[in-house]
Amino acid sequence: MGFLIMLPAMAATSRPSTADAPDTKSEPQPAAQPERTAREVFALNAPAVVKLYGASVGRQQGYGSGVLVSPDGLVLTNLSVMLTGRSVRVVLHDGTSHEAELLRRDDARKLALLRFKASGLPFLTPHPSDALQTGDAVYALGNWFKIAEGDESVSLTRGVFSFKATIDARRLAQQYDYPGPVLIYDAITANPGAAGGPLLDARGRLVGLVGLIVESAATNTRVNHAIPGEDLIAFLKQDPARPTPSDAASAASTDADPSSTAKRPSTAEPYIGLTLSKVGYRQTWAFVERVRRDGPADRAGIRPDDLIIAIDGRRVADGADYQTQLAALVPGQRVPFTLKRGTEIVTAEVTVATKPGGVQP
């Protein structure tokens, strides 16, 4: 996606004489960090970029890119379907492979933090994107089209920063909601595998994270964009030991009713009476495939093909998140399920039952 950048014309003026200049004394300014060549940017940053491999569903590829943000194996990347499997494989610059776990996620910012055991790794530190101006050079690194599977180098592309703005876009058939402005540029990063790689300024600093493939709702064209560095900083400033929303949902359920743990006998499992659909033997999105007749879900009016988007006001990110939230429910509890049915959003009040022997939840 290209952008025509219009720069204002400068009117010719006479240069003021020394006598016209105000008699002021200024403090010496520190020398600005020089801009780097593309080769220098690549050499400086490529060792901290990793290749990621995980789950794939339909048209959504199971590979992408990430950025090392600590010497001990923390990887910053996008929140995507790639992370819905049990683990993600991280391939370093030297070709070594490691199994990583999802440490934390941010559904609003579309960010995820992975962790694997390591030490002494090269890493990048995010910087605010405020200094970027229209016309500045930017660089992006990543594993486009999965061409780097071992110790092969990731790819680099160079472009021009255009502006920072909110976007009205969609990802596949879903609305892509981002809570703030993103960085727009003309380097073509809207390609499979590029998301999660670093966006670097002309000095080689990490000022953004390449975003997922999205299309403009107005033009139906792909939007080359990145999550701003200030959002990366805010995400990383959170406690790395903080539980993911799935864990937090379980804790919140207990916090809402401190006696809920005591109320549930050790053998009483919550039962809703529905089965989620699977693609390729993996649960992905929380689409309802079957509803057991006269079960809690059936009595509440839940139907096959409904998409469960929230339970008791807490967003359901995917099938695994649904199972985690389900496990935190208490038999006898009345819980609102928020569903997407076609183009409508509906609510169903479900009374949680105790799981009978030999049946699915």
Side-chain angles (χ1 to χ4, degrees):
M1 167 177 168
F3 294 93
L4 179 63
I5 301 172
M6 303 297 293
L7 299 178
M10 302 299 294
T13 59
S14 60
R15 184 169 180 167
S17 67
T18 305
D20 295 330
D23 184 15
T24 59
K25 294 181 180 180
S26 59
E27 294 293 330
Q29 297 297 317
Q33 185 178 349
E35 294 187 1
R36 302 178 186 273
T37 66
R39 185 172 296 179
E40 289 171 335
V41 169
F42 181 82
L44 183 67
N45 293 282
V49 181
V50 300
K51 288 90 77 170
L52 301 176
Y53 300 91
S56 60
V57 177
R59 293 188 295 160
Q60 299 186 67
Q61 70 277 1
Y63 61 94
S65 305
V67 180
L68 289 166
V69 290
S70 79
D72 56 353
L74 290 181
V75 178
L76 181 64
T77 188
N78 288 110
L79 186 60
S80 69
V81 69
M82 177 179 61
L83 307 181
T84 59
R86 293 185 177 180
S87 65
V88 178
R89 184 164 58 94
V90 177
V91 179
L92 302 181
H93 184 66
D94 61 5
T96 57
S97 180
H98 304 264
E99 292 297 316
E101 63 175 343
L102 177 62
L103 179 63
R104 185 154 46 82
R105 59 190 290 162
D106 187 323
D107 292 276
R109 295 189 180 103
K110 315 292 191 289
L111 293 173
L113 191 64
L114 310 179
R115 176 176 60 189
F116 65 96
K117 293 182 179 179
S119 63
L121 296 175
F123 66 95
L124 303 182
T125 300
H127 288 76
S129 64
D130 299 341
L132 279 178
Q133 297 185 24
T134 298
D136 284 353
V138 289
Y139 301 87
L141 295 171
N143 188 18
W144 280 261
F145 302 104
K146 201 172 61 173
I147 62 172
E149 297 196 49
D151 62 356
E152 304 93 347
S153 294
V154 293
S155 301
L156 177 143
T157 185
R158 181 184 187 276
V160 172
F161 173 69
S162 298
F163 49 82
K164 184 185 293 187
T166 57
I167 56 174
D168 181 12
R170 61 176 178 269
R171 176 163 169 76
L172 300 178
Q174 301 295 321
Q175 181 73 19
Y176 180 80
D177 297 315
Y178 193 83
V182 296
L183 308 179
I184 306 293
Y185 48 86
D186 70 347
I188 301 177
T189 58
N191 290 319
L199 184 75
L200 310 161
D201 66 8
R203 300 177 186 179
R205 300 178 303 181
L206 175 62
V207 293
L209 197 75
V210 175
L212 298 166
I213 297 176
V214 299
E215 293 183 346
S216 166
T219 64
N220 296 321
T221 56
R222 289 184 173 182
V223 181
N224 301 301
H225 75 287
I227 300 170
E230 49 271 28
D231 287 358
L232 308 183
I233 294 170
F235 174 65
L236 292 174
K237 277 185 176 179
Q238 299 172 21
D239 181 3
R242 177 185 174 186
T244 65
S246 298
D247 299 327
S250 300
S253 177
T254 303
D255 291 342
D257 183 358
S259 62
S260 61
T261 303
K263 285 180 180 179
R264 183 191 298 176
S266 59
T267 58
E269 295 184 43
Y271 173 67
I272 300 298
L274 61 81
T275 303
L276 300 184
S277 61
K278 293 185 178 182
V279 179
Y281 302 101
R282 292 180 183 270
Q283 276 186 348
T284 53
W285 313 121
F287 277 103
V288 178
E289 183 178 62
R290 295 191 301 274
V291 177
R292 190 175 182 87
R293 182 177 298 177
D294 203 33
D298 184 35
R299 290 193 292 270
I302 296 178
R303 307 173 187 172
D305 295 330
D306 282 348
L307 173 63
I308 303 172
I309 59 178
I311 297 176
D312 200 16
R314 292 183 289 273
R315 182 177 181 273
V316 174
D318 50 34
D321 192 18
Y322 166 80
Q323 298 295 346
T324 300
Q325 293 200 38
L326 173 66
L329 299 179
V330 180
Q333 182 181 4
R334 286 183 59 83
V335 184
F337 276 54
T338 305
L339 313 164
K340 185 174 183 181
R341 181 175 296 161
T343 59
E344 294 184 288
I345 302 297
V346 299
T347 300
E349 289 284 337
V350 178
T351 300
V352 183
T354 299
K355 181 181 177 181
V359 302
Q360 297 297 315

